[in-house]
Amino acid sequence: MLVDVRSVEEWKKGTIEGALFVPIDSLRKFSLNEEKLTKTLPPKEEKKILYTYCVVGMRAKAAGNILQAQGYEVRPLKPGYDDLLKAGFKKAEPKDEKKPE
């Protein structure tokens, strides 16, 4: 499962189809609040691997550390958003989703 951890401004310009949007700033803010995490991410019991991505990999790695500390299995991606598009991932324009708190 892809998790976009870029900023709201970056996300508004486009995202990967099917990716969940959890900006790193919001993740840092509610990382210890499991109830908020489970509203956005799949339950840990589903044992889905979360692939975090940003622009160059730094925020993806930081987000991965936060999520791993919460019990998620995470694989931060080094390729950034543009690299994923070049690799063939489909771009999706953001819908009217609420920004995580």
Side-chain angles (χ1 to χ4, degrees):
M1 176 159 286
L2 286 173
V3 181
D4 186 338
V5 299
R6 298 173 303 146
S7 71
V8 173
E9 293 77 25
E10 292 167 316
W11 177 79
K12 284 181 179 178
K13 293 177 184 175
T15 189
I16 302 294
E17 190 171 284
L20 299 175
F21 178 56
V22 184
I24 186 70
D25 292 337
S26 294
L27 186 55
R28 287 179 177 134
K29 188 173 162 182
F30 61 71
S31 66
L32 299 177
N33 187 330
E34 191 164 340
E35 181 181 328
K36 285 192 178 189
L37 281 176
T38 57
K39 284 183 182 179
T40 307
L41 299 172
K44 290 181 256 186
E45 297 78 35
E46 289 184 12
K47 298 189 185 261
K48 292 191 183 234
I49 298 173
L50 304 179
Y51 294 90
T52 56
Y53 72 90
C54 58
V55 176
V56 295
M58 296 297 289
R59 290 176 288 177
K61 187 174 180 179
N65 290 337
I66 292 168
L67 292 168
Q68 284 176 335
Q70 294 298 313
Y72 290 93
E73 189 168 346
V74 185
R75 303 284 189 280
L77 298 176
K78 243 184 185 174
Y81 172 70
D82 290 333
D83 295 324
L84 293 173
L85 289 175
K86 288 176 189 172
F89 284 85
K90 188 173 179 183
K91 180 179 178 179
E93 295 303 319
K95 297 178 181 68
D96 292 333
E97 292 185 37
K98 288 172 61 178
K99 175 186 158 196
E101 298 171 7

